[in-house]
Amino acid sequence: SIVDIAKDLLKLYANRETIRRLSYGPDTPWQKQLEDSFQFQETDDQIQAVANIKKDLEGEKPMDRLLIGDVGFGKTEVSIRTAFKVAQEGKQIAILVPTTVLAEQHYYLFKERLAEFPVEVEMLSRFRDEGEQKKIVTRLQSGNIDIVICRELTKIYEEVRHEKISESLEHFSKTNPKGEFVILFHLQK
């Protein structure tokens, strides 16, 4: 019933208020270098979104933020900056996208934007054969990949079994696959 759902949500959010994590540090010179290399003029919304996300990451509460925007309005750049900030803290990031083509586009864009930095980016999708996928999963398990871009988390979930994604996977697997979205899962190295 709706009352049960409301009780569950209230309990969920009450529990979230008590959870604490280590906060991430302030921006590094590399973060500034990455952001300064952006070849377009940031929109006011991008600037605000990045500032809000950094504030969340530098706090002790787990981040729970939804970034929404039309195609071409800079969500990917915000995601690149966020993933890079998290990777600099020694964490792994899984970026979930709704289509295989978008996974490939994000993979090449992330590789290009992060080429100057010691960050390993990979992609899991049907554009990689089974052997390549197994090698990527092995490298992910051993902590040798910082950012993985994928069409779905099934492969990571089955092979790597990160506890952080196992809780979130069921919730996000119900998300409309036709919508454009990027979900950042912070994996533990």
Side-chain angles (χ1 to χ4, degrees), residues 91-109:
K91 307 292 184 200
Q92 292 175 294
I93 302 95
I95 299 175
L96 178 65
V97 297
T99 67
T100 304
V101 171
L102 194 59
E104 186 172 52
Q105 290 171 348
H106 275 63
Y107 170 69
Y108 287 116
L109 186 56

Side-chain angles (χ1 to χ4, degrees), residues 109-128:
L109 186 56
F110 270 69
K111 291 282 282 186
E112 177 185 316
R113 292 284 288 126
L114 299 172
E116 296 181 42
F117 306 101
V119 175
E120 188 65 29
V121 179
E122 262 305 345
M123 175 186 68
L124 280 173
S125 81
R126 64 181 170 85
F127 289 161
R128 301 288 173 106

Side-chain angles (χ1 to χ4, degrees), residues 10-19:
L10 186 61
K11 182 179 176 184
L12 173 72
Y13 282 95
N15 286 339
R16 283 189 60 80
E17 288 299 315
T18 65
I19 297 172

Side-chain angles (χ1 to χ4, degrees), residues 7 31 47 175:
K7 285 179 183 177
Q31 186 76 32
I47 293 167
T175 303

Side-chain angles (χ1 to χ4, degrees), residues 28-180:
T28 65
W30 280 354
Q31 186 76 32
K32 181 164 177 26
Q33 182 182 343
L34 172 71
E35 293 177 9
D36 289 346
S37 71
F38 187 51
Q39 61 184 348
F40 302 103
Q41 179 67 40
E42 291 116 328
T43 66
D44 291 341
D45 288 341
Q46 276 180 306
I47 293 167
Q48 187 63 52
V50 169
N52 289 341
I53 289 169
K54 287 179 180 180
K55 182 179 176 189
D56 287 349
L57 291 174
E58 292 170 10
E60 292 181 345
K61 288 176 60 176
M63 185 171 74
D64 187 9
R65 183 171 294 279
L66 179 63
L67 180 64
I68 301 172
D70 288 333
V71 173
F73 279 83
K75 296 178 303 298
T76 303
E77 179 62 22
V78 173
S79 299
I80 290 169
R81 293 177 186 193
T82 302
F84 185 59
K85 183 170 182 69
V86 172
Q88 289 179 87
E89 294 284 337
K91 307 292 184 200
Q92 292 175 294
I93 302 95
I95 299 175
L96 178 65
V97 297
T99 67
T100 304
V101 171
L102 194 59
E104 186 172 52
Q105 290 171 348
H106 275 63
Y107 170 69
Y108 287 116
L109 186 56
F110 270 69
K111 291 282 282 186
E112 177 185 316
R113 292 284 288 126
L114 299 172
E116 296 181 42
F117 306 101
V119 175
E120 188 65 29
V121 179
E122 262 305 345
M123 175 186 68
L124 280 173
S125 81
R126 64 181 170 85
F127 289 161
R128 301 288 173 106
D129 66 37
E130 190 65 30
E132 289 174 307
Q133 289 184 35
K134 285 182 180 182
K135 287 178 185 175
I136 290 168
V137 167
T138 299
R139 290 177 51 224
L140 187 63
Q141 287 172 317
S142 65
N144 293 323
I145 294 174
D146 301 297
I147 300 168
V148 63
I149 298 165
C150 45
R151 162 68 179 89
E152 57 181 278
L153 291 175
T154 305
K155 177 65 77 173
I156 296 172
Y157 178 68
E158 290 173 355
E159 301 290 337
V160 181
R161 299 201 189 279
H162 281 287
E163 289 180 27
K164 298 291 180 190
I165 1 183
S166 64
E167 297 172 7
S168 303
L169 184 61
E170 287 181 40
H171 171 73
F172 286 112
S173 67
K174 296 174 185 172
T175 303
N176 181 355
K178 293 183 180 179
E180 183 180 3

